[in-house]
Amino acid sequence: MLAPTLAELIEIAPAVAGALATGAPVVALESTIISHGMPWPRNLETALAVEAEIAAAGAVPATIAVIDGRIRVGLDEAALTRLARAPAGETLKLSRADLAHALAAGRAGSTTVAATMMAARLAGIEVFATGGIGGVHRGAETSFDISADLAELGRTAVITVCAGAKAILDIDKTLEVLESAGVAVIGYRTDQFPAFWSRASGLACPLRLDSAAAIAALWRVRQALGQDGGVLIANPVPEEAEIAAAEMAGHIAQAVAEAQAAQVRGKAVTPWLLARIVELTGGRSLETNIALIRNNARLAAAIAVELAR
Ligand code: PSU
Ligand code: MN
């Protein structure tokens, strides 16, 4: 049996292919946040708003997902709507371990940070915006629940812009694993690693840079060194949209305890906790989530524009 070619497995939308061919700025976006991270119809509104932020900043957005057994880089509104509306369970949540399965079996799936990085690298996209990365879960010393996002950040050369890691995770251990994996973790205009809904985690960020130009310059040095692996930009949620860490702590503790009692396991853990926290905050955490992803999209576009200069 012949192996499929890469061209058969990846379809790059014309606008994205055109930008890549001319060296114009492009920003990749993940799709798990659409299918498993936010409720309908805010998920679709957010996906469109995030793409609009990137376009307004002078870059081409490329949301990535698997549709009918092909990696699609750049989705039109119909494809985004299909992902956003699909009933839970119909769209697979794809990480590195499952990407090839979805392609071989002709399935549809959304890509996590890990699988989006893989696809972006294959397509030649250097910058990627997400909300929060997966990480080391609380209690990982017994559950061993550590997101494949961390290993991917260590091996795949893409700049990932996030708002830090959610405090549903063990942020201390997450930073340790990132360091072990050789990931440059850079606070954008902050000395503290941000905690997704909150600007502060109480933990220092290993590195700090204050401009998109400085991030682009670091990236070019890594390339000149032939360095594999990613750079993680930690961009705190805008002040007006944040929920203070002290307030989130109670909601997070409750959600984590409930997930354990309900024996939620594996891939279901992150989506379950996110949905429960939206309920526990009366919907406020969703507004924060939307504000931070838009903010990350703006910064990612600014970095892509610098790289294209
Ligand atoms: N954080 C969010 N929303 C999300 C995710 C993280 O606020 O939807 C998704 C991302 O796609 C991330 C994934 O890559 O969850 C991590 O899942 P896991 O912990 O199962 O690796
Ligand atoms: Mn996990």
Side-chain angles (χ1 to χ4, degrees):
M1 193 177 175
L2 274 175
T5 64
L6 202 51
E8 287 168 333
L9 296 173
I10 303 195
E11 182 180 333
I12 303 181
V16 177
L20 290 170
T22 58
V26 177
V27 174
L29 296 161
E30 63 147 308
S31 46
T32 297
I33 192 166
I34 303 172
S35 61
H36 294 74
M38 287 184 189
W40 169 265
R42 299 305 300 280
N43 55 354
L44 177 62
E45 287 165 30
T46 304
L48 294 170
V50 164
E51 291 211 343
E53 294 276 11
I54 290 168
V60 175
T63 303
I64 293 175
V66 172
I67 297 176
D68 300 332
R70 294 183 90 196
I71 300 174
R72 296 264 306 265
V73 179
L75 302 182
D76 58 17
E77 193 166 335
L80 287 171
T81 305
R82 189 173 141 188
L83 260 182
R85 290 202 90 127
E90 190 178 293
T91 307
L92 303 171
K93 175 182 162 187
L94 305 175
S95 187
R96 170 172 277 269
D98 338 273
L99 183 60
H101 162 68
L103 301 178
R107 296 287 305 265
S110 55
T111 50
T112 61
V113 167
T116 306
M117 289 180 74
M118 290 173 69
R121 182 87 180 114
L122 288 170
I125 302 173
E126 296 177 290
V127 189
F128 160 42
T130 182
I133 56 163
V136 181
H137 280 264
R138 293 184 185 190
E141 58 275 26
T142 53
S143 71
F144 278 53
D145 189 351
I146 301 175
S147 174
D149 290 354
L150 301 184
E152 200 64 43
L153 285 160
R155 73 195 290 175
T156 299
V158 170
I159 301 172
T160 298
V161 180
C162 71
K166 285 171 294 291
I168 57 174
L169 302 170
D170 186 324
I171 299 178
D172 217 341
K173 290 191 181 73
T174 299
L175 285 169
E176 291 295 345
V177 171
L178 286 167
E179 186 190 19
S180 301
V183 180
V185 179
I186 298 166
Y188 180 69
R189 298 185 178 170
T190 181
D191 295 315
Q192 259 194 59
F193 189 72
F196 196 74
W197 300 289
S198 319
R199 290 174 63 84
S201 65
L203 296 166
C205 207
L207 301 168
R208 169 180 173 146
L209 291 173
D210 291 342
S211 70
I215 294 166
L218 168 79
W219 185 248
R220 291 299 184 223
V221 169
R222 286 179 65 105
Q223 286 183 315
L225 294 175
Q227 215 174 332
D228 289 333
V231 163
L232 184 65
I233 307 299
N235 185 30
V237 62
E239 227 166 291
E240 63 278 8
E242 85 161 326
I243 306 178
E247 185 189 337
M248 285 309 297
H251 301 311
I252 290 166
Q254 182 178 340
V256 169
E258 288 177 2
Q260 274 164 6
Q263 303 208 352
V264 182
R265 292 277 186 277
K267 283 174 181 294
V269 172
T270 299
W272 196 98
L273 289 172
L274 287 175
R276 186 67 185 118
I277 285 171
V278 171
E279 289 172 4
L280 291 171
T281 59
R284 281 171 60 223
S285 69
L286 179 59
E287 302 311 317
T288 302
N289 199 344
I290 293 168
L292 68 83
I293 173 91
R294 293 180 69 151
N295 191 45
N296 294 344
R298 286 190 290 270
L299 177 55
I303 296 167
V305 166
E306 285 296 335
L307 286 171
R309 280 156 79 96

